[in-house]
Amino acid sequence: MRSIFLCVALMLGWSAGAQTERRPWEDCLNDVVTREDAGEAVWEDMYEWLCELEQHPMDINRATREELEQLPFLSAQQVEEIEEYLYRYGPMKSLAELAMIRSLDYSQRQLLTYFIYIPDNPDNPDNPGFPDIRRIARYGHHELMATGRIPFYRRRGDRDGYLGYPYRHWLRYQFGYGDEVKLGLVASQDAGEPFFAHRNKAGYDYYSPYLQLRRLGRVETLVAGRYRAQMGMGLVMNSSFSLGKVAMLQNLGRSTTTLRAHSSRSEASYLQGAGITFGLGKSLSLTAFASYRAMDATLNKDSSAATIVTSGYHRTESEMAKKHNLKNATAGGSLRYCRYGLHLGLNAVYTHLDRRLSPNTAILYRQHYAQGSDFVNASIDYGYTNHRWSLSGETAVNGHGALATINSLSLQLGNGLSLMALQRFYSYRYTALYARSFSDGGSTQNESGLYVGLSWQPSPRLKLMAYTDYAYAPWAKYQVSLSSYAWDHLLQLSYSSRGWTLGGRYRLRRRQRDNADQTALIPRNEHRWRLTLDYDGSLSSRTQLDLNYIDFRERERGWMVSQSLGYSYRWLRLNGGLGYFSTDGYDSRVYLYERGPLYTYAMSQFQGRGLRAWLMARTAVGKRLSLTAKWGLTKYHDRSVIGSSYQQVDGSSLSELDLQVRWKF
């Protein structure tokens, strides 16, 4: 039942030759990863990256292992089988040959067709090596996109407090040639940030230039400008996203080493400089990278850095004062061996900050936060994969000798049944500025635990997935003054027939929290249910019911019922939705995913009582130009003031208009 991540890219189900940008995978996005597993910045980066994979499919016959590992729904066994098939039988002539990969079920084969292609003459490609400059210039394609949001309300900060105007907008230009060349620039402005003013003399608040080259002789990948890096299972370096517990069952604990251009608007975790991966032979590769960038930070009175700020907001004088006042120099690399299903990797990262990082350790749970100016982390990642089972792991140490380790075992038992067990131990003294791996608490520190999951597809119509995860934290955490535990369970079912899909999900999370006077821990039980009914056709539909019950110091309940529709006709695509929500408070808040313009992620949370409505139209003007407009309205029935501080709106409703123009030439 890795079809759960199959959903992820059935999200990505728009083909490059389509007349309209119909992306049916979007309806499945909130079924793939639960919203509580990741912050907003991680979700946005994941969404933009999946859009990028969709828009630029790879040649399956030339794809390297590292490129295939970028597809988050493929397990290590499936990557190994695809590589083995191509080695034994040569280039694929047709996508129908995917049926020969035993571990790929029907849904996954359909999903892969959105991300890969087979050239017209796979046996004799026109240009088997890296293309020359003239060919790149002649056959490369350009894409220019402009997106903006117009709010029909005024916040308190718009009247007195924000340095800029209330409009959010961004530009994206990219030039590409096949899988080999990607060159682009992203410029972004959040609402309230100054434009060609204050410290933004160059116009936009955020720029991200990037260059990515592949298959340049022995150079497998070369990135320059802003980029992201991942090594092993993320204990030392993972500046990409980590998708959480549901997605873990899809890639079955796979480890990888990749470099990729940073083409999103996220201002967190990226690197700036250059990185390169050399092929040293059929089995050995070397990755090295270097980065120097400015970061936002809150400063102490002695000019040391109290915290590193990753929100990217520079709307007020105080937020602007934090902009780029910390300099970060990072260098690292990986030596990786991979052959006959065995992989071994040696990884290391060194980071120097020009200001000492000095968090307030008088607060108990911050006593073991990262401190100092220099940080060293090293690890070894390892594993073995065949078509039946896979073992992966990584063990790391920091400069003070503190240990972190994660290990997983997955089994393919046939008949659509997969089992997985994952163990991790992260010392409360282990710190790594760029680490991001599997965890319950959101960081690779102060946690040990065991995760067991299964996915089962007994028939093409019926799918089941379940997991249980136990985590123990020996040191204090935010809102937890003693050692504590957390237990998380999820069960998800879906049944499909004749275009209809009925789905259900139940999640129970039990965590410990401080009581009112912080003298003992009490349980916090969170129950969340979701029922969905989907229909996919020329007229698509999703009916969704969310129910929440929170039992903590007080009991809270929340629910939301929503209906969305989509209609396609030649050059026109219409989408709309309506939902009603009612919750007792913030803890019982509900989440709703909506369709949005390309590369624009739209997941909203609601609390209180009210109504949410939205309507989007996308039209193609010829083959090169597309226009998108989306209007949204949130109407509250239990308040006359929305938000607080600078975000406060004096009224009971919020409405906005998103506009996007995309030109391909």
Side-chain angles (χ1 to χ4, degrees):
M1 225 211 80
R2 75 198 30 142
S3 44
I4 291 192
F5 220 120
L6 288 166
C7 241
V8 147
L10 287 170
M11 316 187 279
L12 287 125
W14 177 87
S15 76
Q19 290 184 330
T20 61
E21 294 172 5
R22 185 174 184 271
R23 306 196 300 276
W25 59 267
E26 293 190 31
D27 288 333
C28 303
L29 179 59
N30 58 348
D31 290 335
V32 177
V33 187
T34 53
R35 174 62 176 83
E36 300 83 354
D37 278 341
E40 181 178 356
V42 175
W43 272 74
E44 289 182 353
D45 184 46
M46 175 198 70
Y47 176 80
E48 292 187 22
W49 172 235
L50 291 175
C51 284
E52 180 69 18
L53 287 177
E54 171 201 25
Q55 297 298 308
H56 303 93
M58 65 182 73
D59 180 352
I60 183 63
N61 292 322
R62 302 181 66 197
T64 64
R65 178 185 300 272
E66 289 72 22
E67 289 174 309
L68 290 173
E69 287 175 341
Q70 293 182 59
L71 298 175
F73 55 87
L74 290 181
S75 69
Q77 290 100 322
Q78 291 165 335
V79 172
E80 184 72 21
E81 284 196 41
I82 293 173
E83 291 280 291
E84 182 180 359
Y85 181 88
L86 294 173
Y87 176 76
R88 286 188 176 186
Y89 303 108
M92 290 187 184
K93 308 294 193 303
S94 165
L95 291 177
E97 290 189 58
L98 291 173
M100 305 300 292
I101 312 297
R102 291 179 298 175
S103 59
L104 294 176
D105 60 33
Y106 174 78
S107 299
Q108 282 179 302
R109 295 196 298 271
Q110 291 298 109
L111 171 61
L112 265 174
T113 62
Y114 299 118
F115 301 101
I116 66 174
Y117 72 94
I118 293 177
D120 294 334
N121 191 353
D123 288 319
N124 297 292
D126 292 335
N127 189 12
F130 190 80
D132 59 45
I133 298 299
R134 288 176 297 178
R135 184 178 182 87
I136 292 173
R138 181 176 180 181
Y139 295 105
H141 57 271
H142 304 260
E143 177 181 293
L144 181 63
M145 184 182 300
T147 307
R149 168 169 290 184
I150 304 171
F152 299 115
Y153 54 84
R154 288 180 62 82
R155 299 164 297 181
R156 176 186 165 193
D158 297 328
R159 297 189 299 268
D160 181 22
Y162 289 155
L163 301 173
Y165 44 74
Y167 310 109
R168 176 186 179 184
H169 55 94
W170 59 278
L171 294 173
R172 175 190 173 102
Y173 165 77
Q174 182 165 295
F175 171 82
Y177 178 91
D179 304 333
E180 291 87 0
V181 180
K182 182 191 297 184
L183 171 68
L185 174 69
V186 175
S188 176
Q189 193 83 9
D190 290 312
E193 294 178 336
F195 189 59
F196 283 110
H198 212 272
R199 291 177 61 183
N200 293 341
K201 303 298 184 182
Y204 281 93
D205 180 74
Y206 168 79
Y207 289 96
S208 181
Y210 57 89
L211 170 67
Q212 178 176 297
L213 303 176
R214 294 189 184 277
R215 304 189 187 94
L216 188 61
R218 284 194 171 272
V219 177
E220 296 178 0
T221 303
L222 173 66
V223 290
R226 293 188 173 175
Y227 64 96
R228 292 180 179 269
Q230 180 180 351
M231 298 190 298
M233 298 184 73
L235 296 186
V236 165
M237 167 61 70
N238 182 11
S239 62
S240 187
F241 52 80
S242 180
L243 291 177
K245 299 177 181 180
V246 178
M248 181 58 69
L249 277 176
Q250 308 314 306
N251 58 42
L252 299 176
R254 186 188 64 208
S255 65
T256 187
T257 296
T258 58
L259 296 172
R260 66 176 177 90
H262 175 62
S263 57
S264 81
R265 290 166 291 147
S266 171
E267 298 188 40
S269 299
Y270 67 81
L271 302 172
Q272 181 172 272
I276 191 168
T277 297
F278 284 102
L280 302 180
K282 292 183 178 180
S283 307
L284 196 63
S285 64
L286 174 66
T287 296
F289 57 87
S291 168
Y292 181 80
R293 58 164 295 198
M295 305 178 73
D296 295 358
T298 302
L299 302 185
N300 296 312
K301 293 182 179 179
D302 62 358
S303 296
S304 62
T307 58
I308 296 174
V309 180
T310 59
S311 67
Y313 289 129
H314 306 115
R315 303 163 298 183
T316 64
E317 292 286 357
S318 61
E319 289 177 348
M320 189 62 77
K322 301 174 185 178
K323 183 176 181 178
H324 296 175
N325 53 18
L326 177 66
K327 304 302 186 294
N328 177 322
T330 297
S334 174
L335 181 63
R336 189 174 179 86
Y337 173 85
C338 186
R339 192 169 189 181
Y340 303 127
L342 174 69
H343 73 264
L344 294 170
L346 298 175
N347 315 296
V349 174
Y350 168 73
T351 298
H352 172 75
L353 305 178
D354 72 335
R355 297 180 188 268
R356 178 178 174 82
L357 188 59
S358 301
N360 182 6
T361 55
I363 300 176
L364 182 63
Y365 71 86
R366 294 180 179 174
Q367 284 190 6
H368 295 285
Y369 276 19
Q371 303 174 48
S373 300
D374 297 278
F375 304 89
V376 178
N377 296 88
S379 75
I380 177 172
D381 70 276
Y382 39 83
Y384 177 77
T385 299
N386 63 30
H387 69 281
R388 284 294 183 184
W389 60 277
S390 176
L391 173 68
S392 294
E394 183 177 12
T395 299
V397 294
N398 66 1
H400 301 287
L403 180 72
T405 185
I406 180 171
N407 301 276
S408 69
L409 173 66
S410 60
L411 304 173
Q412 302 272 12
L413 300 180
N415 298 320
L417 178 62
S418 298
L419 299 177
M420 178 183 175
L422 182 146
Q423 167 272 337
R424 74 270 191 193
F425 168 78
Y426 310 142
S427 168
Y428 61 83
R429 297 188 302 110
Y430 181 79
T431 55
L433 296 185
Y434 285 101
R436 183 182 290 165
S437 190
F438 182 93
S439 71
D440 181 78
S443 69
T444 53
Q445 184 182 27
N446 189 29
E447 180 175 311
S448 59
L450 178 65
Y451 169 98
V452 178
L454 70 87
S455 60
W456 185 34
Q457 187 170 354
S459 73
R461 295 182 177 182
L462 182 63
K463 306 169 185 177
L464 178 147
M465 189 201 70
Y467 71 71
T468 183
D469 181 50
Y470 177 85
Y472 173 73
W475 192 258
K477 303 172 66 176
Y478 177 65
Q479 295 184 337
V480 185
S481 301
L482 305 170
S483 58
S484 61
Y485 75 87
W487 208 331
D488 185 9
H489 315 271
L490 183 138
L491 174 66
Q492 183 164 303
L493 291 163
S494 67
Y495 179 81
S496 302
S497 178
R498 298 180 180 178
W500 292 91
T501 301
L502 177 65
R505 181 171 79 194
Y506 168 64
R507 186 177 190 183
L508 168 62
R509 304 185 80 182
R510 181 181 177 91
R511 292 180 167 181
Q512 291 182 304
R513 291 289 185 265
D514 286 331
N515 61 4
D517 56 6
Q518 298 184 352
T519 57
L521 300 182
I522 57 177
R524 182 186 187 276
N525 295 318
E526 178 179 334
H527 305 263
R528 293 185 179 268
W529 296 265
R530 172 173 292 168
L531 293 174
T532 58
L533 179 63
D534 295 283
Y535 177 75
D536 188 20
S538 59
L539 177 66
S540 60
S541 167
R542 162 166 279 214
T543 305
Q544 181 170 305
L545 173 65
D546 289 282
L547 301 171
N548 303 329
Y549 174 67
I550 313 299
D551 184 5
F552 187 33
R553 297 170 185 170
E554 297 179 355
R555 295 178 178 178
E556 289 190 15
R557 295 173 175 84
W559 61 274
M560 182 173 192
V561 60
S562 60
Q563 175 67 55
S564 61
L565 296 170
Y567 175 72
S568 294
Y569 178 74
R570 299 179 65 184
W571 46 266
L572 180 65
R573 175 70 178 171
L574 297 175
N575 293 95
L578 181 67
Y580 182 83
F581 56 90
S582 176
T583 77
D584 294 335
Y586 177 77
D587 284 350
S588 56
R589 63 195 179 277
V590 291
Y591 298 95
L592 179 66
Y593 177 77
E594 304 171 1
R595 293 279 181 91
L598 186 62
Y599 297 105
T600 302
Y601 179 69
M603 170 73 80
S604 302
Q605 67 179 35
F606 304 97
Q607 65 180 94
R609 289 188 300 109
L611 189 73
R612 173 64 181 174
W614 60 278
L615 179 65
M616 185 174 73
R618 180 184 293 117
T619 181
V621 183
K623 295 183 178 181
R624 298 182 180 274
L625 185 65
S626 63
L627 308 174
T628 303
K630 177 186 176 182
W631 168 82
L633 169 69
T634 305
K635 172 67 176 177
Y636 290 92
H637 300 153
D638 61 346
R639 68 195 68 179
S640 58
V641 174
I642 303 171
S644 60
S645 187
Y646 288 134
Q647 292 289 95
Q648 178 178 309
V649 175
D650 296 330
S652 60
S653 64
L654 303 171
S655 64
E656 66 282 327
L657 177 66
D658 290 335
L659 299 172
Q660 184 176 87
V661 179
R662 185 187 187 198
W663 181 31
K664 303 170 79 174
F665 57 98

